[in-house]
Amino acid sequence: MIKTDILIIGAGPVGLFTVFEAGLMKLRCHLIDAIAQPGGQLSEIYPKKPIYDIPGFPSVLAGDLVNNLVEQAAPFNPGYTLGERADTITKLDDGNFVVTTSKGTQHQAPVVMIAGGLGSFEPRRPLIENLGDFEGKGVEYIVREPQSFLGNDIVISGGGDSALDWAIYFANEGSNPVTLVHRSDRFRAHKDSVQKAHELQEQGKLQLITHGEVTALKGDDQLSEIEITVNKNEVKTIKTDYWLPLFGLSPKLGPIGNWGLEIEKNAIVVDTFDYQTNIPGIFAIGDVNTYAGKLKLILCGFHEATLAVQTAYKIIHPEKKFTMKYTTVQGIQGFEEKETPVLI
Amino acid sequence: MKDVTITVIDREGESHELIAPTDMNMNLMEVCKSYELPVEGTCGGMAMCASCQVYVLSEEHIGERNDNEEAMLSEAFYVKDNSRLGCQINMVEDLNGLTVELAPESE
Ligand SMILES: Cc1cc2nc3c(=O)[nH]c(=O)nc-3n(C[C@H](O)[C@H](O)[C@H](O)COP(=O)(O)OP(=O)(O)OC[C@H]3O[C@@H](n4cnc5c(N)ncnc54)[C@H](O)[C@@H]3O)c2cc1C
Ligand code: FES
C-alpha cells in the first residue's frame, strides 16, 4: 500500500502543478496516470506544439512545459504510479480513501484530487468481431517491453508516429518479419519515418501493405493468423504471433464516472470555493471538472489546484494553522527523502 | 459577411439547424460544439483524432479532403466515401444549406 497526503489522479499539467503547490504547504503527493509518461494531453496529443497563453511565456512548446512542471515538482519528491488506471475508490472508517489501479496497486490518502482531464487515455480499438478473444493473447495496444516481442512475427496497423516508430524499431532490431498495414498510402507520421519505412522495405526488413486493413483474427487460444483485405477485395492470410493495432489513444472518463460523484456532461461538478466535489475530501481540478463559467485551459487548472490544496491542508491538518507565503520570501523547501511505499 | 445555415443530424437521427458566422474563423466542429451537439473535438481541430467525423449528405457544397484529413480518416473507424472531418471544414458562404450527419463515436 502506497501512503501519501494527497493522491492525485492524472499526471497532466494540472496534477503536476498540484505537487508543487501542495509541497509549499509541506504536503506530500503521489500521482497515478494511465499513460506511461507525465504530461496528459500535452504529451499525448501535442508535445511539439507551441502554447501562447501561459502567463510569462510568450511561447512554450507543450513538451517543454511538461518538462518544466516535472522539474518544478521534483524538490517535493512525488511518487508516480504510471501506466495504471485508477479504477476503484473506497473510504475507510478513519476517513482515508483507498484507490486501487487496474494492476491492483493500492494507494491510501486522506485527500484525493482528480486531475483526470478528458479522461484516461485508452487505445482506440478497431472494429473486429472477435478482437476481445485475443487481447493480451497476441493483440497488444501498447508496447511496454519491446524486447519481449523480439523473435516473434509482428504485424502493426496504423499510419501515425507510434505505428511507424515501432515498425521501424522491430524491423531493425528483430530477426523476424515485420508487416505494416495501413488503409491508405498517406501517413500521418513524420515524413522521415515514412521514408525510413520505405527504405526498410527495399532492404527486405519490412513488408509495407498499403490500402490494406486487418479484417479477421484467427487462432486457438493464442493469435496465430490474421486476414488482411487489400484494395477492398483481395484477401491475404498471414501467420503472426502479434498484432499491434496502433490507432492512437482516446480519452475516456471511465471508472471515475462510477465513483458516486456528481457528473454533468462527462465532467465532475465542483464548488468553486475550493473545487471540492459532492464527496468531501475528493476534489476535481483541471479539464475534468465543471462549474458555471468553466474554461478548459491550463492556466485555469493551475488556479484551481492552488485553491484546492488550501482546503486539503485543513482536512489533513485540522489542528494546524497555516497562512499562504510568497515563494520569493520563503524559497522552496523540498523533501529530502523519496516517498517510500509503506507496506501494511 | 453573411451567416450560413447548416443542418446537422445527430446520432439519434434528430436534425438541428445551426446558424454559423462566416467571419469568426470557425470550423464545423466548433460550430457543433457551440450548439452543444455531442462532438468531442479532442485534438482541438488538428485533424488528429477524428472525433469530429461527419458524413456529408449534400455534396454539392463542399470541396475535397485535404492531405492531413485524408491521412487521419485512413486511420479512423466507420469511414465512408462521404466522410469528412468537421474541424477541416471552414465556415464560408458557399456552405449555406449544407447537411451533414454525425458519425458514430469510436469505442
Ligand atoms: C490540441 C490542443 C491544444 C491545446 N492548446 C491549449 C493552449 O494553447 N492553452 C491552454 O491553456 N490549453 C490548451 N489546451 C487544453 C489543455 O491541454 C488542457 O486544458 C490541459 O491538458 C488540462 O490539463 P489536465 O491536467 O486537467 O488534464 P490532462 O492534460 O487531460 O491530463 C489528464 C491525465 O489524467 C489521466 N487520467 C484520467 N483518468 C485517469 C484514471 N482513472 N486513472 C489514471 N489516469 C487517469 C489521463 O491519462 C491524463 O494523462 C489544448 C488542448 C489540445 C487538445
Ligand atoms: S477535432 Fe480532432 S480531428 Fe477534428
Side-chain angles (χ1 to χ4, degrees):
Chain A
M1 177 88 76
I2 294 165
K3 283 187 170 181
T4 189
D5 294 326
I6 302 182
L7 182 63
I8 304 168
I9 298 171
V14 177
L16 290 170
F17 190 63
T18 308
V19 176
F20 177 80
E21 285 295 332
L24 294 179
M25 309 183 79
K26 304 214 179 304
L27 301 175
R28 286 178 170 278
C29 295
H30 187 96
L31 298 134
I32 304 179
D33 205 300
I35 48 178
Q37 83 272 21
Q41 294 170 51
L42 287 71
S43 303
E44 197 48 50
I45 307 183
Y46 62 108
K48 302 269 158 58
K49 291 261 168 193
I51 305 176
Y52 301 103
D53 58 351
I54 303 299
F57 289 88
S59 165
V60 55
L61 289 185
D64 290 346
L65 181 64
V66 171
N67 292 340
N68 287 345
L69 286 164
V70 169
E71 186 184 327
Q72 196 172 18
F76 302 110
N77 261 320
Y80 288 94
T81 301
L82 296 177
E84 301 183 24
R85 186 185 64 201
D87 273 357
T88 60
I89 192 163
T90 46
K91 192 167 185 180
L92 304 177
D93 291 340
D94 64 4
N96 275 290
F97 294 97
V98 174
V99 172
T100 308
T101 66
S102 45
K103 289 209 183 138
T105 314
Q106 291 195 308
H107 308 76
Q108 181 181 320
V111 167
V112 173
M113 297 253 176
I114 304 176
L118 304 175
S120 74
F121 280 96
E122 309 274 330
R124 281 207 195 93
R125 300 172 71 242
L127 310 163
I128 292 183
E129 219 174 288
N130 57 352
L131 182 69
D133 298 347
F134 295 107
E135 287 174 333
K137 294 176 183 167
V139 173
E140 299 290 340
Y141 300 102
I142 293 174
V143 184
R144 288 221 172 77
E145 285 162 25
Q147 287 82 2
S148 67
F149 290 83
L150 299 179
N152 290 292
D153 297 353
I154 303 172
V155 176
I156 297 177
S157 287
D161 282 314
S162 65
L164 271 280
D165 289 352
W166 284 118
I168 293 167
Y169 173 87
F170 289 122
N172 281 324
E173 300 297 316
S175 48
N176 293 49
V178 180
T179 308
L180 178 66
V181 186
H182 184 41
R183 239 173 28 211
S184 151
D185 50 15
R186 291 186 220 188
F187 291 84
R188 233 166 17 95
H190 211 268
K191 284 199 181 62
D192 294 351
S193 311
V194 179
Q195 184 167 352
K196 192 163 276 157
H198 284 295
E199 284 166 19
L200 286 165
Q201 184 180 28
E202 278 161 26
Q203 295 162 20
K205 291 182 172 173
L206 178 77
Q207 192 195 359
L208 194 58
I209 302 182
T210 52
H211 301 286
E213 190 170 4
V214 171
T215 41
L217 308 177
K218 292 177 191 162
D220 297 327
D221 184 37
Q222 193 76 22
L223 181 71
S224 59
E225 277 183 351
I226 62 171
E227 206 177 85
I228 300 170
T229 306
V230 186
N231 293 325
K232 296 202 171 144
N233 52 28
E234 190 188 318
V235 177
K236 286 187 189 184
T237 303
I238 62 173
K239 286 203 179 313
T240 192
D241 301 304
Y242 285 106
W243 180 39
L244 313 178
L246 303 178
F247 295 110
L249 304 176
S250 85
K252 302 259 164 9
L253 186 58
I256 293 177
N258 308 321
W259 287 6
L261 299 161
E262 193 187 333
I263 308 270
E264 215 178 83
K265 288 196 205 122
N266 249 346
I268 304 168
V269 177
V270 289
D271 179 348
T272 48
F273 172 73
D274 55 5
Y275 304 97
Q276 212 161 175
T277 66
N278 58 317
I279 304 180
I282 304 185
F283 298 72
I285 52 180
D287 278 13
V288 80
N289 74 14
T290 186
Y291 50 86
K294 169 71 184 178
L295 284 181
K296 289 185 183 178
L297 286 176
I298 299 165
L299 155 88
C300 301
F302 288 168
H303 163 82
E304 294 163 12
T306 309
L307 297 195
V309 295
Q310 311 301 312
T311 298
Y313 182 87
K314 291 189 190 119
I315 294 175
I316 296 163
H317 298 300
E319 70 297 344
K320 278 196 212 163
K321 291 261 178 275
F322 188 80
T323 178
M324 195 270 296
K325 300 180 213 272
Y326 293 126
T327 54
T328 337
V329 177
Q330 203 62 28
I332 302 293
Q333 278 120 34
F335 300 133
E336 268 169 24
E337 76 288 12
K338 180 133 187 89
E339 169 225 55
T340 41
V342 186
L343 295 170
I344 57 165
Chain B
M1 287 223 209
K2 281 203 265 165
D3 288 351
V4 291
T5 304
I6 288 170
T7 307
V8 177
I9 300 167
D10 67 21
R11 298 186 188 102
E12 272 73 55
E14 200 181 317
S15 161
H16 304 262
E17 244 184 37
L18 318 188
I19 296 170
T22 53
D23 58 350
M24 289 301 292
N25 192 20
M26 280 174 98
N27 60 50
L28 182 57
M29 176 272 285
E30 293 165 340
V31 173
C32 289
K33 279 178 83 95
S34 72
Y35 274 84
E36 303 201 354
L37 290 175
V39 172
E40 257 341 297
T42 312
C43 75
M46 295 195 300
M48 279 176 58
C49 71
S51 66
C52 63
Q53 187 188 167
V54 295
Y55 305 124
V56 175
L57 304 181
S58 58
E59 253 163 282
E60 68 275 18
H61 296 286
I62 203 156
E64 296 282 294
R65 293 176 185 167
N66 65 42
D67 280 357
N68 290 338
E69 187 179 4
E70 192 73 61
M72 183 64 230
L73 283 170
S74 70
E75 281 190 88
F77 307 134
Y78 306 108
V79 176
K80 301 185 193 171
D81 289 343
N82 60 344
S83 286
R84 293 293 306 261
L85 295 178
C87 67
Q88 304 300 305
I89 301 176
N90 288 318
M91 287 301 115
V92 292
E93 286 180 26
D94 279 356
L95 291 187
N96 197 29
L98 177 75
T99 301
V100 299
E101 183 186 351
L102 302 182
E105 280 175 297
S106 54
E107 217 184 290

